[in-house]
Amino acid sequence: MKRNFLNAPQDPGVEQTNLQIAEMVLDKALRDFQRAQLLKEIDYSLRDRNKEKFMALTEKLKEIS
């Protein structure tokens, strides 16, 4: 039976893959956070009837989506 140890040397390819996955997860989390913040600001601009701010924020939203 093969045992995996935390400090055991790993294949460099596995380590690189793990780093890429971690980077992808962080990128997605950042985009999701930015999107949520933009949506909140868009709601405020609608509440305040601020057309210029609404248009600018929706353009930013399009860029990150």
Side-chain angles (χ1 to χ4, degrees):
M1 174 186 235
K2 183 178 179 181
R3 294 181 148 220
N4 292 322
F5 296 100
L6 292 176
N7 294 329
Q10 291 185 349
D11 177 17
V14 171
E15 186 174 329
Q16 184 63 29
T17 301
N18 289 342
L19 289 173
Q20 289 173 337
I21 292 170
E23 187 175 336
M24 288 169 44
V25 168
L26 289 173
D27 286 344
K28 178 158 178 21
L30 180 59
R31 277 193 317 274
D32 289 349
F33 176 78
Q34 290 173 330
R35 185 175 191 280
Q37 293 298 315
L38 280 172
L39 290 172
K40 189 183 299 184
E41 289 294 318
I42 288 170
D43 287 345
Y44 292 149
S45 69
L46 287 170
R47 180 195 66 196
D48 298 339
R49 298 175 188 242
N50 186 336
K51 182 179 180 179
E52 293 81 21
K53 188 172 183 180
F54 172 80
M55 296 303 288
L57 291 169
T58 54
E59 282 302 314
K60 282 186 182 180
L61 184 61
K62 288 177 189 177
E63 291 172 8
I64 67 166
S65 295

